[in-house]
Amino acid sequence: MTREQYILATQQNNLPRAENAQLYPVGIYGWRKRCLYFFVLLLLVTMIVNLAMTIWILKVMNFTVDGMGNLRVTEKGIRLEGISEFLLPLYVKEIHSRKDSPLVLQSDRNVTVNARNHMGQLTGQLTVGADAVEAQCKRFEVRGSEDGRVLFSADEDEITIGAEKLKVTGTEGAVFGHSVETPHIRAEPSQDLRLESPTRSLIMEAPRGVQVSAVAGDFKATCRKELHLQSTEGEIFLNADTIRLGNLPTGSFSTSSSSSSNSRQTVYELCVCPNGKLYLSPAGVGSTCQSSSNICLWS
């Protein structure tokens, strides 16, 4: 036996030993153990319920790798299929439908589309309601689908219609509250053109002249009282093969100058009163206007 082994053997034999040492149990016992088991069981039940709810939500919402329900996340953005309801404002950059289906925006009250600038100020608004469609902006334009030509534009100063033809199909026609400026007014083929003012006057003015032409028909001017043809500086020119003035008053000779009252008069002389009134006088060898000028006294 070596020296180190002898020293270790003698030290172990010299250690004091307790005769009646008390033993204490290690662990949780009694009501603490029961509470611990209860909380562990409650935690396990909660985890099972949460797992079941998570699976149910995934099943109901139709969660997949690409998205949830009708909502699909693609490389170009978000794709939404079917009918969708938005309870809060929707902020997007672009909305378009599928190539084979239209895009429908529906609301129980109205549909409002707002445009704002970088400061959040409202610059344009389009409201589709039950009674009217309202557009609020600085300038409203409608362009053609083929060439992009402006068909209709409106701003605070003027309204411009760029279509080749403006057609009004209402039974009452078009009503203008103020003046109308146009280079040409034309009716449809085989249709009449009628300009009418039911209770007031109808005035057509042009600084370089007003021309009314009927190429293949008659031109009629009818009034109830007086028809005035006035030229302040020029002349009134009547150019036709036949000019007729109907219902002109006819003057008569005095008794002393009448020769044959039984003969029927067929030729008359056109006479003019000092005030411009025209009348007929039976023609004679000479002028008979002076003899039958009594009609000028009643004009």
Side-chain angles (χ1 to χ4, degrees):
M1 181 180 297
T2 61
R3 183 178 180 182
E4 288 81 3
Q5 294 177 352
Y6 176 78
I7 295 173
L8 292 175
T10 56
Q11 287 180 356
Q12 292 178 0
N13 295 326
N14 296 329
L15 290 177
R17 295 182 180 179
E19 296 295 338
N20 298 323
Q22 296 182 358
L23 299 177
Y24 294 96
V26 178
I28 301 175
Y29 298 93
W31 63 272
R32 295 183 180 87
K33 186 177 182 180
R34 289 192 293 270
C35 290
L36 179 60
Y37 287 163
F38 173 77
F39 284 119
V40 171
L41 181 62
L42 181 61
L43 180 60
L44 181 61
V45 173
T46 305
M47 291 176 61
I48 295 174
V49 172
N50 288 338
L51 181 60
M53 291 295 294
T54 303
I55 296 175
W56 179 77
I57 292 174
L58 293 176
K59 185 66 176 179
V60 172
M61 300 300 294
N62 194 12
F63 277 97
T64 60
V65 179
D66 298 332
M68 54 173 286
N70 296 329
L71 184 64
R72 296 289 185 268
V73 180
T74 62
E75 296 179 356
K76 298 181 179 180
I78 297 177
R79 180 178 178 180
L80 189 60
E81 299 178 355
I83 300 176
S84 304
E85 297 182 3
F86 299 93
L87 303 179
L88 297 176
L90 176 64
Y91 299 93
V92 295
K93 182 180 181 181
E94 182 181 355
I95 299 177
H96 62 88
S97 63
R98 297 175 58 182
K99 296 182 179 180
D100 56 350
S101 61
L103 176 63
V104 180
L105 301 178
Q106 185 176 355
S107 175
D108 294 338
R109 296 185 178 180
N110 56 38
V111 177
T112 303
V113 180
N114 296 331
R116 301 180 182 272
N117 56 11
H118 64 281
M119 301 179 61
Q121 299 176 352
L122 184 64
T123 58
Q125 185 180 66
L126 177 63
T127 303
V128 180
D131 300 330
V133 178
E134 299 180 359
Q136 181 181 356
C137 55
K138 293 182 179 180
R139 184 177 179 85
F140 180 76
E141 292 184 356
V142 177
R143 295 182 176 270
S145 58
E146 297 181 357
D147 53 357
R149 183 166 52 93
V150 178
L151 302 179
F152 177 85
S153 64
D155 54 18
E156 295 181 357
D157 298 330
E158 64 179 4
I159 297 176
T160 304
I161 299 177
E164 296 181 356
K165 182 186 295 184
L166 175 61
K167 187 174 183 180
V168 180
T169 59
T171 57
E172 298 296 331
V175 180
F176 300 95
H178 297 282
S179 61
V180 178
E181 298 180 3
T182 177
H184 191 191
I185 299 178
R186 181 181 62 184
E188 291 185 353
S190 303
Q191 298 293 331
D192 297 333
L193 176 63
R194 184 174 182 178
L195 303 178
E196 181 181 359
S197 178
T199 58
R200 293 295 184 270
S201 302
L202 178 62
I203 301 175
M204 293 186 294
E205 296 181 353
R208 301 187 60 180
V210 177
Q211 181 179 358
V212 181
S213 176
V215 179
D218 300 335
F219 173 74
K220 297 180 181 180
T222 306
C223 62
R224 182 178 181 181
K225 293 184 178 180
E226 297 179 355
L227 177 63
H228 296 272
L229 298 177
Q230 181 181 359
S231 177
T232 57
E233 297 182 358
E235 61 183 5
I236 298 177
F237 180 70
L238 301 177
N239 184 12
D241 296 337
T242 302
I243 298 177
R244 297 180 181 180
L245 300 176
N247 297 327
L248 290 179
T250 303
S252 60
F253 288 116
S254 60
T255 306
S256 61
S257 61
S258 62
S259 57
S260 178
S261 58
N262 296 327
S263 62
R264 183 179 179 183
Q265 187 70 33
T266 58
V267 180
Y268 293 88
E269 182 180 1
L270 182 62
C271 305
V272 182
C273 294
N275 60 356
K277 182 178 181 180
L278 300 178
Y279 67 95
L280 299 179
S281 177
V285 178
S287 178
T288 60
C289 292
Q290 188 67 27
S291 300
S292 59
S293 62
N294 55 350
I295 196 171
C296 296
L297 301 176
W298 303 99
S299 59

